[in-house]
Structure formats: C-alpha cells, structure tokens
C-alpha cells in the first residue's frame, strides 16, 4: 500500500466519523429542546401557585418524556451501539439534564430518590452497557446532584408559599443523599467538581430548617420528618 | 445521623460480588440509600482501577517503544543493520506483549471508554513499529499490518501470550485495534525520527538515504495536507512540526547537492557533522 493510498483510506475513515458526529449533533439538539420544555414545565413548581399543581405538572412532564423516548430511539440508530463511548461527549450533557428531570419528577411525586433503573426506564434506555444504549453511572450521579441544587431552591420557595413541612423533608432527603455520596471515592473529574457543590445545597437547606425551627414554624412536621 | 455507618464498612475494597452479598447480609445497611450508593461505589472503583492499570501499562509501552527508537537510530552508524533490526524485533515483541495486557483489560469493555488511558503508549508503539518497518522496507507500514500483529492468544490460565505459536484449541483470541487517529498521530511522530535519521546518516557519509528520506517525508506531508483539518485536533498541531522536519531534510538534500558537486565525499561528512550540532539542539525530542 502506498503512502497516498494509506492516507486516503484514513481520510475516508475520518470523514465517515465526521458524518456520524454531524447526525448525532442534530438529534441531540432536538433532544435538548425537549429537555428545556420539560424544565419549563417543572420550573413552575417554584411559583406560589405551583405547589398545588405538582401532580398535574408531573403528569405533563411524564407526557413529554414520551417524546424523549422516541428521540433517544432515533439517536440510537445514528451510530453502532458498541461505540457508545466514542461519541459519549455529544449526549453526555443532555443525558445528565434528562436524568435530573426524571429524578425531579419522581421526587415530586413520591419524595424518593429515583433509581438508575427507573431513570433508564423513563428514558427508554438500558442500565447495563452490554445491552445497548445505556445510562452511565457517572451521568446518573451528576443528574442526581443537579436535582439536589434544585431541591435547595425548592426548600426556600416552599417556605415563601407557606409550606413549612417540605423543607424538613427535603433536608432529610438531602442529608441522606450527602451521606450516600460520601461513600464514593471520586476522582478529580467533573463529577467530583459537581459533588463539591452539594455541601452548599446542604448548608442552604439547613439554614432554612434552622430559621423555621427557631420560629416554631416546623413543629407540626415532627412526625413526617423522622421517616 | 446515619452518615457514618457506611464509611466504616470493612469490606469496602474487596471483590465486588462478594461485597454485594456481604451488604445484603449486613443488618445495619438497611437504608436503601446506602445500599444503592455502595453499589455505585463498587462500580466507580472498578472503573477507576482499570483506568489506572491501563495508564500504567501505557507508560511501560511508551518507555519501551522510545528505547526501541533510540536503538534503531544506531542503524546509521553500525555496519550490520540487520543485527540492530532483529534486536528491535525482540524489543517490539515485548511491547506487543504489553499491548496484549491492554487487550486483556479491555476484553468485553468499550474500547473508547478507556481510550484516553492508553492512547499515548499506542501512538509511541506505532511510531516505533513504523520506524522499524521503514528502515527495513523503505515504505510506510499500513494500519492493517500493525493490527494484524496485535492478535494475542491467551490460554485459560490468564497470562499474556504474545506469539501465535503453541496455541491450544481452547485458547482465546484477543485482538487489539489501533484506531486510525492513533495511527495518524504515530505516523506524524515518525517524521521527526526520520528527520533525525536523515541528519545523522549524512553525518556518517551516507549520501543516498537523505534523498530517499526527503521523498518519503514529502509523501507523508502531502498525505497530511490532504487530511487537513478533517482529522482530530492534534493532527493540525503535528502538521506544523512535520513541516519543520521536512524543511530540515530538504535543506540537507539541497546542501548535499550543491556541495556534493565541489567537495570530495569524505569531506562532505565534516560539513554535515557541523550542521548537525547546529540543528539538533532546537529539535525537541518527541
């Protein structure tokens, strides 16, 4: 094989690679659009009126997740499945966002931490790498961390709208989450950076709980906060 | 608070499956949160450990490949090139065995997930193996030829076997595929070595090699210009260095031609040994 032949062979490979990336980018853009729509729906729970509408907002978000499923199904067709990590960077961000949104919906509905399996089910993807397009554990954890900062906001806003129980429940939840994350030996990577922000969310919520308790506003929630 | 319970867990770093059973049987870890995060911990630790192991192997591959390249540079100054080449063969076999370890680590994994851990080593290997191939055959080794030699037979006992001989039917075949971009970057590094070889061969009074080399380098340069910016980001950086190397080789050929017509050959060597000292310091070792 001559040098020229070799280089044109490589060039062919590289442009095929670029085409795939181009296709992926297009689908991911649409996916990001849907993710923003879901976020907009869910953001309204921070409004004083939104607290009563949580179930309906969640139902709406769940509907939008159907769209997400079809869009991810389309994304899957754009590249060979065993090359997931080759193109991972393209959808990493949006997948973390979607995990956050799914986790947030599940939290609002049941006040529980979404499992990785559940997120994968909501998004219509797999948990285990061998089975196809899957949810990387780091992306899942990053999504959960995004939710933590959203919850600290929610704690503040729920006080504003007169719901004094919620911050206590959120505080319990976040504390458990924090102790969970402490088990992980994180490397110096983006996930670690994001985890470093968790303590500020914890602190913020603790302040809210403190404010409520010194004013005697948190009394009636004693039974619920123990769970 | 429940925080502390999980952290004191004594079997934190032990084998994953065993660990999971242990958690299931330990009464204190009934909180689902901690259980869930224990599983994540294992998964992340397994991944990070594998990554670190790959980085280590990659470093070994880099070192050995660099040594092979240094060895191959001796080819210009010794009378018997074949001896050096076969010594390099032995060294490269050792490197291949290490790549076999990489292949073993990557068995069943997505190669791209850990690609960043071993790409420097692989590039260095491509550089060494293509350098040797050039010295022997005066041509560019192809990606297939490199990949064809990275097939490993592994007996059930799980220790790396580099050679294809003596395989039992039960042995498993492991392959390692050099990605086109690693190949490309390795070849880009090769040009630096060729430039040094060119200069030092002139220093030894070899008049033909520089011309062959300059032609070969020009072909590679044209190839890289053809790829241009469709390639990975690093390629465009290397293209700059490649151009400098090419310039040096072309200058050398120019001098040879001009001076060759007026100075006797044995004195020409002296002219170049002066030039080499001028050129070498500014050449960053790749």
């Amino acid at each position: 094989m001559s040098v020229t032949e070799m280089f044109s062979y490589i060039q062919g490979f590289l442009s095929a690679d670029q085409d795939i990336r181009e296709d992926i980018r297009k689908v991911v853009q649409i996916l990001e659009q849907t993710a923003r729509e879901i976020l907009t729906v869910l953001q309204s729970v921070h409004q004083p009126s939104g607290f009563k509408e949580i179930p309906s907002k969640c139902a709406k978000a769940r509907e939008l997740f159907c769209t997400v499923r079809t869009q991810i199904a389309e994304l899957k067709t754009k590249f060979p499945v065993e090359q997931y990590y080759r193109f991972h960077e393209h959808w990493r961000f949006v997948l973390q966002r979607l995990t956050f949104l799914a986790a947030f919906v599940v939290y609002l509905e049941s006040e529980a931490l979404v499992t990785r399996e559940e997120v994968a089910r909501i998004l219509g993807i797999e948990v285990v790498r061998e089975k196809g397009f899957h949810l990387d554990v780091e992306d899942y954890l990053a999504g959960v961390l995004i939710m933590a900062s959203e919850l600290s906001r929610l704690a503040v806003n729920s006080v504003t709208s007169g719901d004094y129980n919620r911050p206590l429940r959120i505080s319990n939840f976040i504390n458990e989450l924090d102790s969970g994350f402490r088990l992980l030996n994180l490397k110096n990577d983006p996930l670690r950076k994001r985890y470093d922000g968790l303590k500020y969310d914890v602190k913020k919520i603790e302040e809210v709980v403190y404010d409520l308790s010194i004013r005697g506003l948190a009394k009636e929630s004693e039974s619920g906060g123990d769970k | 608070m429940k925080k502390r319970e999980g952290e004191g867990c004594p079997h934190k770093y032990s084998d994953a499956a065993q660990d999971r059973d242990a958690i299931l049987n330990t009464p204190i870890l009934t909180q689902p949160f901690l259980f869930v995060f224990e599983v994540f911990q294992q998964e992340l630790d397994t991944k990070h450990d594998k990554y670190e192991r790959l980085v280590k192997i990659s470093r070994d591959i880099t070192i050995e490949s660099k040594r092979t390249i240094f060895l191959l540079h001796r080819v210009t100054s010794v009378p018997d090139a074949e001896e050096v080449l076969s010594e390099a063969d032995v060294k490269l076999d050792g490197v291949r065995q290490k790549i076999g370890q990489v292949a073993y680590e990557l068995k069943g994994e997505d190669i791209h997930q850990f690609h960043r851990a071993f790409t420097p080593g692989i590039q260095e290997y491509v550089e060494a193996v293509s350098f040797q191939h050039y010295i022997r055959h005066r041509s560019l080794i192809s990606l297939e030829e490199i990949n064809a030699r990275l097939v490993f037979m592994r007996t059930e006992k799980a220790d790396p076997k580099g050679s294809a001989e003596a395989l039992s039917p039960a042995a498993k075949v492991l392959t390692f595929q050099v990605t086109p971009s690693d190949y490309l970057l390795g070849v880009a590094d090769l040009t630096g070595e060729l430039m040094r070889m060119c200069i030092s061969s002139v220093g030894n009074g070899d008049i033909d090699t520089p011309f062959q080399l300059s032609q070969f380098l020009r072909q590679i340069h044209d190839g890289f210009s053809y790829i241009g910016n469709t390639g990975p980001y690093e390629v465009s950086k290397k293209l700059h260095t490649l151009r400098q190397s090419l310039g040096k080789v072309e200058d050398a050929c120019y001098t040879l031609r001009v001076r060759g017509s007026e100075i006797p050959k044995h004195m020409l060597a002296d002219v170049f040994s002066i030039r080499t000292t001028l050129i070498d310091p500014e050449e960053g070792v790749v």
Side-chain angles (χ1 to χ4, degrees):
Chain A
M1 206 180 228
S2 80
V3 176
T4 327
E5 278 168 359
M6 197 58 227
F7 272 96
S8 65
Y9 166 75
I10 302 268
Q11 152 71 22
F13 174 85
L14 290 174
S15 48
D17 187 71
Q18 270 196 333
D19 290 346
I20 295 178
R21 284 176 198 277
E22 206 56 53
D23 282 350
I24 290 174
R25 235 168 296 189
K26 271 181 214 148
V27 185
V28 166
Q29 240 167 34
I30 303 169
L31 206 53
E32 275 169 351
Q33 176 63 35
T34 321
R36 276 198 297 274
E37 280 169 31
I38 300 177
L39 185 64
T40 320
V41 169
L42 291 178
Q43 282 297 316
S44 58
V45 299
H46 291 292
Q47 305 286 345
S49 57
F51 280 93
K52 291 155 219 122
E53 294 164 21
I54 283 177
S56 70
K57 296 289 178 200
C58 288
K60 190 139 181 256
R62 289 237 180 218
E63 263 171 53
L64 283 166
F65 270 115
C66 292
T67 326
V68 169
R69 274 197 289 277
T70 52
Q71 280 163 359
I72 288 184
E74 200 190 333
L75 177 61
K76 285 182 202 166
T77 62
K78 298 296 178 200
F79 66 98
V81 70
E82 71 278 2
Q83 299 185 0
Y84 181 91
Y85 283 100
R86 186 151 151 224
F87 307 107
H88 190 192
E89 287 307 314
H90 292 291
W91 56 73
R92 183 166 222 168
F93 177 78
V94 74
L95 212 54
Q96 288 176 1
R97 284 259 126 190
L98 288 167
T99 306
F100 148 59
L101 294 167
F104 196 38
V105 168
V106 170
Y107 179 81
L108 290 173
E109 284 170 354
S110 60
E111 307 215 341
L113 175 68
V114 71
T115 59
R116 193 164 152 215
E117 288 74 18
E118 180 66 12
V119 179
R121 216 174 49 75
I122 293 173
L123 302 179
I125 57 182
E126 303 290 340
V127 179
V128 202
R129 188 180 66 82
E130 283 79 11
K131 283 187 185 160
F133 194 96
H134 68 286
L135 180 62
D136 188 87
V137 67
E138 288 184 34
D139 291 342
Y140 164 76
L141 293 172
V144 170
L145 286 173
I146 303 177
M147 180 182 67
S149 54
E150 194 67 20
L151 286 182
S152 75
R153 243 189 97 201
L154 188 69
V156 172
N157 289 330
S158 58
V159 173
T160 318
S161 17
D163 185 347
Y164 299 141
N165 291 336
R166 192 178 283 274
L168 294 175
R169 296 200 303 273
I170 292 179
S171 169
N172 266 319
F173 181 80
I174 294 274
N175 274 324
E176 278 207 62
L177 201 63
D178 189 43
S179 48
F181 270 97
R182 273 173 210 225
L183 287 182
L184 307 177
N185 308 306
L186 297 174
K187 287 216 297 182
N188 210 359
D189 57 2
L191 184 61
R192 160 77 189 279
K193 251 175 235 154
R194 193 157 261 162
Y195 164 69
D196 287 343
L198 182 63
K199 58 177 177 280
Y200 299 110
D201 301 326
V202 173
K203 184 164 173 259
K204 181 92 176 252
I205 297 169
E206 275 171 1
E207 277 168 10
V208 173
V209 172
Y210 169 77
D211 281 340
L212 290 175
S213 18
I214 57 163
R215 289 172 180 80
L217 292 169
K219 253 186 223 142
E220 66 249 76
S221 66
E222 213 65 13
S223 56
D226 203 37
K227 203 187 151 241
Chain B
M1 269 313 219
K2 301 148 193 167
K3 267 179 200 171
R4 297 284 148 202
E5 287 166 29
E7 282 176 72
C9 189
H11 37 249
K12 207 155 134 188
Y13 297 102
S14 60
D15 181 72
Q18 201 189 335
D19 209 356
R20 209 165 293 183
D21 288 337
I23 292 165
L24 284 169
N25 300 329
T26 313
I28 51 158
L29 287 165
T30 41
Q31 289 92 27
F33 262 58
L34 288 178
F35 172 70
V36 165
F37 276 86
E38 288 271 354
V39 176
F40 294 150
Q41 182 202 51
Q42 281 156 23
E43 198 174 332
L44 285 174
D45 284 351
T46 318
K47 199 169 106 179
H48 292 160
D49 289 350
K50 191 181 273 276
Y51 191 90
E52 290 305 322
R53 281 199 301 277
L54 283 168
V55 169
K56 236 173 131 182
I57 302 171
S58 161
R59 219 166 272 162
D60 290 346
I61 293 175
T62 310
I63 292 167
E64 267 310 297
S65 304
K66 276 211 164 87
R67 284 186 187 148
T68 313
I69 291 168
F70 274 112
L71 172 73
L72 284 168
H73 272 300
R74 270 179 30 209
V75 94
T76 48
S77 55
V78 293
D80 189 15
E82 195 47 48
E83 200 178 306
V84 175
L85 284 173
S86 52
E87 204 183 325
D89 258 334
V90 175
K91 272 184 182 288
L92 284 175
D93 272 335
V95 177
R96 272 191 283 273
Q97 224 160 75
K98 292 221 157 57
I99 298 179
Q101 288 173 25
V102 174
Y104 176 69
E105 288 286 349
L106 291 173
K107 196 173 68 179
E109 300 283 347
D110 186 332
I111 165 167
H112 299 97
Q113 187 175 9
F114 299 100
H115 186 239
R116 276 184 38 208
F118 57 84
T119 173
I122 296 302
Q123 286 176 29
E124 207 66 32
Y125 169 72
V126 170
E127 184 179 343
V129 87
S130 57
F131 191 35
Q132 195 214 22
H133 188 271
Y134 178 77
I135 293 171
R136 200 166 258 169
H137 306 283
R138 304 277 145 174
S139 67
L140 181 66
I141 194 168
S142 74
L143 184 55
E144 280 88 4
E145 281 173 87
I146 292 179
N147 281 335
R149 302 197 68 176
L150 296 177
V151 177
F152 308 96
M153 298 298 163
R154 176 174 291 277
T155 47
E156 298 300 279
K157 265 178 65 193
D159 63 336
K161 270 266 188 300
S163 64
E165 285 101 26
L167 58 139
S168 63
K172 281 181 188 152
V173 183
L174 277 176
T175 55
F176 183 87
Q177 297 278 311
V178 175
T179 63
S181 38
D182 280 346
Y183 170 77
L184 210 55
L185 294 169
V187 170
D189 290 339
L190 166 71
T191 56
E193 300 307 325
L194 293 177
M195 184 271 290
R196 289 171 59 158
M197 185 184 165
C198 168
I199 303 300
S200 63
S201 65
V202 182
N204 289 310
D206 184 351
I207 307 298
D208 300 328
T209 313
F211 290 100
Q212 284 173 5
L213 276 168
S214 78
Q215 211 177 355
F216 184 61
L217 273 180
R218 223 168 285 146
Q219 283 177 348
I220 292 184
H221 175 260
D222 293 350
F224 270 100
S225 324
Y226 175 62
I227 282 174
N229 56 5
T230 42
Y233 158 72
E234 296 98 314
V235 169
S236 33
K237 266 199 308 193
K238 300 225 165 167
L239 191 57
H240 181 69
T241 326
L242 169 55
R243 206 161 288 207
Q244 283 182 329
S245 304
L246 182 62
K248 283 175 197 166
V249 172
E250 283 176 341
D251 277 352
C253 290
Y254 167 81
T255 318
L256 269 182
R257 192 63 86 202
V258 173
R259 295 295 189 84
S261 55
E262 52 191 38
I263 314 181
K265 273 193 179 153
H266 66 276
M267 283 175 72
L268 203 60
D270 294 339
V271 174
F272 267 92
S273 49
I274 295 160
R275 276 186 66 92
T276 332
T277 47
L278 285 176
I279 288 168
D280 261 349
E282 59 179 288
E283 218 299 284
V285 179
V286 186

